[in-house]
Amino acid sequence: MSKVKILIVEDESIIALNLKESLQDLGYEPCGIAPNKCKTMKILEKGIVPDLILMDIYLKGPTTGIELA
């Protein structure tokens, strides 16, 4: 059985790395970290299909996490 793939969308790098490590410890597969809409879309355009996205509500830039979701 394959691991659940989770994309992390978080603009604070320390928080994003902490989430990544915690998810790995719990047996999940973080499939990427994106700090904003542009990076998130680039990851998804590469054909990476996460099972779940952990989305920060307040992202730096014009697009919020709610709008992006």
Side-chain angles (χ1 to χ4, degrees):
M1 187 169 159
S2 63
K3 292 183 177 183
V4 174
K5 293 182 284 185
I6 300 177
L7 175 62
I8 301 166
V9 181
E10 170 61 61
D11 58 352
E12 297 288 334
S13 59
I14 293 173
I15 293 172
L17 292 173
N18 188 301
L19 279 170
K20 179 181 176 182
E21 290 176 8
S22 296
L23 291 170
Q24 288 172 328
D25 291 345
L26 292 168
Y28 297 104
E29 179 186 339
C31 61
I33 296 175
N36 54 40
K37 177 185 176 182
C38 183
K39 297 283 186 175
T40 302
M41 298 309 293
K42 285 183 181 183
I43 289 172
L44 297 175
E45 288 170 356
K46 289 181 182 178
I48 296 172
V49 181
D51 297 303
L52 180 73
I53 299 176
L54 287 179
M55 180 82 65
D56 184 5
I57 294 174
Y58 301 107
L59 298 172
K60 293 178 184 162
T63 306
T64 68
I66 293 172
E67 293 168 333
L68 181 55

